[in-house]
Amino acid sequence: MLNETFKLVVDGYLPGVGEYYVEENFASLFNISRKRAQKILRSGPYDIKKDLDKPKADAFVKIIRELGVNCQAESTRYDTSHLSLM
């Protein structure tokens, strides 16, 4: 049996947070520019990390939510997004 892996998906800001500081902290965490962080956070659901085990995914989710970002870990067990019928 294969180990289940997870991906982290961010989807905007949590309510009641200062967007500028969220973007600054998010950018610092992932070593990207604030402008890139802003684009990711405003673009809708965005996969930021893949192939994580459950404990590591949960730890990242906790840290990212503390920054003020809406984030969840999604199982990739039945991820068919890469498949196509064309």
Side-chain angles (χ1 to χ4, degrees):
M1 185 168 151
L2 296 173
N3 291 333
E4 187 172 15
T5 61
F6 294 83
K7 65 181 179 180
L8 297 181
V9 181
V10 294
D11 191 12
Y13 309 89
L14 291 174
V17 297
E19 293 180 5
Y20 176 83
Y21 294 107
V22 171
E23 293 162 3
E24 282 286 316
N25 293 330
F26 185 81
S28 177
L29 179 65
F30 288 100
N31 198 27
I32 58 175
S33 70
R34 190 185 71 78
K35 189 171 235 178
R36 178 75 176 129
Q38 182 182 55
K39 186 176 180 180
I40 289 170
L41 295 173
R42 293 183 180 187
S43 69
Y46 189 91
D47 297 353
I48 56 168
K49 275 199 152 317
K50 296 179 182 179
D51 297 325
L52 299 170
D53 61 19
K54 181 70 169 154
K56 193 172 280 192
D58 289 342
F60 265 109
V61 167
K62 182 180 180 200
I63 291 167
I64 293 168
R65 285 184 180 164
E66 286 174 357
L67 296 178
V69 176
N70 186 23
C71 180
Q72 63 256 356
E74 295 181 0
S75 173
T76 58
R77 181 179 220 163
Y78 300 111
D79 183 10
T80 59
S81 62
H82 61 283
L83 299 178
S84 173
L85 296 175
M86 298 294 188

